[in-house]
Amino acid sequence: MTEIGSPAPDFTLDNQYGEPVTLSALRGRPVALVFYPFAFSGVCTGELCRLQDNLSVFEDAGVRLLAVSTDSKYALRAFAREESFDFDLLSDFWPHGAVAQRYGVFDADSGMAERATFVLDAGGTVVDAFRSEPGTPRELASYRAALARLAG
């Protein structure tokens, strides 16, 4: 898993609308990268809906929220539309899971990203990282603590 204090691996992935999002192009603003297994699955839907319901926590901290899964952009577009997500869902579909692999959070046996979060400062350095076990949602308190560390 990419370690705290290290530079975040750069990438370009399409969002749910097919628009490319390049991590290094977001420098100057903190970013929260939220890897999750699959769109429409129960735990993932609950987690992302909780983030949507608390999007102001990220916005107030000036943090850009990016959610990453190995789903196609087409599945992510339907997922975002169904759940009314106001943040980017990034497709790590092809090469399958390449970005999750670079972050050390790809489960090759199941072909999905693990449930892991990386909070990056404005320069692209990982200031916090946490994960949860399969089937276990990450707590909102973990995000709040990471954003507090980001603020210093």
Side-chain angles (χ1 to χ4, degrees), residues 11-15 19-23 26 64 66 88 90:
F11 61 81
T12 299
L13 293 174
D14 285 346
N15 69 10
E19 302 163 337
V21 175
T22 301
L23 184 62
L26 302 176
R64 172 93 178 259
L66 301 174
D88 285 315
L90 304 181

Side-chain angles (χ1 to χ4, degrees), residues 141-152:
S142 298
Y143 290 98
R144 290 182 191 275
L147 297 178
R149 281 187 207 89
L150 180 64

Side-chain angles (χ1 to χ4, degrees), residues 30-50:
V31 172
L33 291 176
V34 179
F35 288 89
Y36 64 100
F38 295 114
F40 295 107
S41 63
V43 175
C44 296
T45 299
E47 271 196 307
L48 294 184
C49 285
R50 189 173 314 113

Side-chain angles (χ1 to χ4, degrees), residues 84-96:
S84 301
F85 293 138
D86 292 324
F87 51 89
D88 285 315
L89 304 181
L90 304 181
S91 175
D92 192 13
F93 182 72
W94 197 258
H96 192 72

